[in-house]
Amino acid sequence: MAEYKVTPWEVSGNVDYERLIREFGTQKITDELRQRLVRAAGEDNVMLRRGYFFSHRDLDLVLNDYEKGKGFFLYTGRGPSGPMHIGHLIPLVFTKWLQERFGVNLYIEVTDDEKFLFKDGLGWDDVQRYAAENIRDIAAVGFDPNKTFIFKDSEYVRNVYPLMLKIAKKITFSTARAVFGFTNKANIGEIFYPAYQIVPTFFENKRCLIPNAIDQDPYWRIQRDIAESLGYKKTASIHSKFIPPLQGIQGKMSASMPESAIWLTDDEKTVKKKIMKYAFSGGQPTVEEHRKKGGNPDIDVSFQWLKIMFEPDDSRLKKIEDDYRNGALLSGELKQILTDKINDFLAKHQERKEKCDVEMFMRNGKLAQKMWESYY
Ligand code: TYM
């Protein structure tokens, strides 16, 4: 069996997502639950339909609460360790869909503290620069400015420090070590940090739903152990797989391998060059052979990216898949389809980024104002 590793700080190898559900103790999103979510949302979603969001904790309870009129709220986040790539945007695009469909509040934590503490060689000024840039990218996704609060940990801390301490007091070092694998080399800031990532799950006395890739689940496991003893609800969570790096379907697109990722700032030429040069192909070495034997979309990164979300039309995706398998579609042509989709996506993102009003999300919107007046 291929080995793999999934922690909040490292994802490598060929991840067996079914096995991960068992290891992490999460639940699979069954067809029935997916249909229930889609019914409540009033609209289907490509990432749900294609199984990209595949696992959850208590999503059924969120839907119960919603149907009973108790509501829920959304929470997600980003660690500003560098510029953002397409993989970081995907949970946010899904979160936007949830917010739009359910009309709920959304909290987005930008963890400058976490990245400063965990990344050797990353200085405070660098993290601040990345945080400012990342916040613009997050705001550009197009959330509801009156129902979304984007906050940076080091700035918002005075409003939440007492709550953070109450959380920290509930978590022993031995739990943190077992869940996160801390060694004697860990600095003491790293050991305290998980308390802050739990804080936003308590922002409202409703159930919290966290859209994220499954690497973040260890935090929610701890949250669920301590929430009720502090008078709050266990958080719910909905987990995605990882968007693979260009070089092959193993692991995840990662900031530490710049050529493995498409960055949100990449221009058209760079996107084309990267995809043509690096995107792992399931095609045959020569055109003749490809026409005869066909390609394998299951290991082809371009096809996998189209499947995750860049080609939402099922019948068009099916045609691409069939044509590729039977050799009618060449690797270069498949790569061009993806290149055009990504360039279109990035152009729209850049345009929204130019126009968006970050201060609405951080200070001036209705929810942001309320949050700056709240002490936890
Ligand atoms: P970060 O910045 O590593 O990642 C931000 C979000 O992107 C997801 N992600 C990916 N999703 C798909 N494919 C990939 N290749 C990929 N790489 C990363 C992550 O799972 C995450 O959802 N500690 C967090 C910040 C945080 C947070 C949260 C995240 C604070 N509170 C609540 C999610 C929910 C971090 O460093 O994320």
Side-chain angles (χ1 to χ4, degrees), residues 162-221:
L163 175 57
M164 208 187 313
L165 293 176
K166 288 177 203 163
I167 293 167
K169 200 171 177 180
K170 292 275 176 190
I171 306 170
T172 63
F173 177 55
S174 94
T175 298
R177 192 174 46 192
V179 173
F180 297 109
F182 290 129
T183 65
N184 280 347
K185 291 205 184 100
N187 67 58
I188 58 176
E190 289 175 312
I191 296 159
F192 182 62
Y193 167 73
Y196 208 158
Q197 187 154 331
I198 290 172
V199 162
T201 65
F202 298 154
F203 276 168
E204 294 185 22
N205 214 351
K206 296 176 182 168
R207 204 175 301 274
C208 173
L209 174 63
I210 305 169
N212 53 166
I214 194 156
D215 59 332
Q216 299 297 312
D217 186 69
Y219 291 101
W220 320 138
R221 237 176 284 157

Side-chain angles (χ1 to χ4, degrees), residues 81-231:
S81 54
M84 281 169 71
H85 58 59
I86 291 236
H88 298 128
L89 214 59
I90 290 191
L92 295 170
V93 171
F94 184 69
T95 306
K96 173 177 181 261
W97 178 78
L98 287 171
Q99 183 183 46
E100 258 170 24
R101 303 313 304 178
F102 292 96
V104 292
N105 285 345
L106 163 65
Y107 302 88
I108 302 179
E109 178 180 33
V110 177
T111 57
D112 55 341
D113 52 348
E114 175 194 12
K115 295 300 155 175
F116 173 70
L117 289 165
F118 280 88
K119 290 262 162 180
D120 285 341
L122 193 63
W124 183 252
D125 293 344
D126 296 329
V127 186
Q128 295 310 309
R129 212 163 22 85
Y130 291 136
E133 180 69 10
N134 287 183
I135 287 169
R136 289 199 70 76
D137 280 312
I138 296 168
V141 173
F143 301 108
D144 182 335
N146 284 308
K147 290 188 175 169
T148 305
F149 180 46
I150 304 177
F151 63 99
K152 190 167 68 173
D153 278 352
S154 63
E155 251 176 33
Y156 194 60
V157 65
R158 73 187 186 112
N159 293 56
V160 294
Y161 196 50
L163 175 57
M164 208 187 313
L165 293 176
K166 288 177 203 163
I167 293 167
K169 200 171 177 180
K170 292 275 176 190
I171 306 170
T172 63
F173 177 55
S174 94
T175 298
R177 192 174 46 192
V179 173
F180 297 109
F182 290 129
T183 65
N184 280 347
K185 291 205 184 100
N187 67 58
I188 58 176
E190 289 175 312
I191 296 159
F192 182 62
Y193 167 73
Y196 208 158
Q197 187 154 331
I198 290 172
V199 162
T201 65
F202 298 154
F203 276 168
E204 294 185 22
N205 214 351
K206 296 176 182 168
R207 204 175 301 274
C208 173
L209 174 63
I210 305 169
N212 53 166
I214 194 156
D215 59 332
Q216 299 297 312
D217 186 69
Y219 291 101
W220 320 138
R221 237 176 284 157
I222 297 188
Q223 192 276 2
R224 290 167 59 85
D225 283 345
I226 63 169
E228 285 171 349
S229 72
L230 287 166

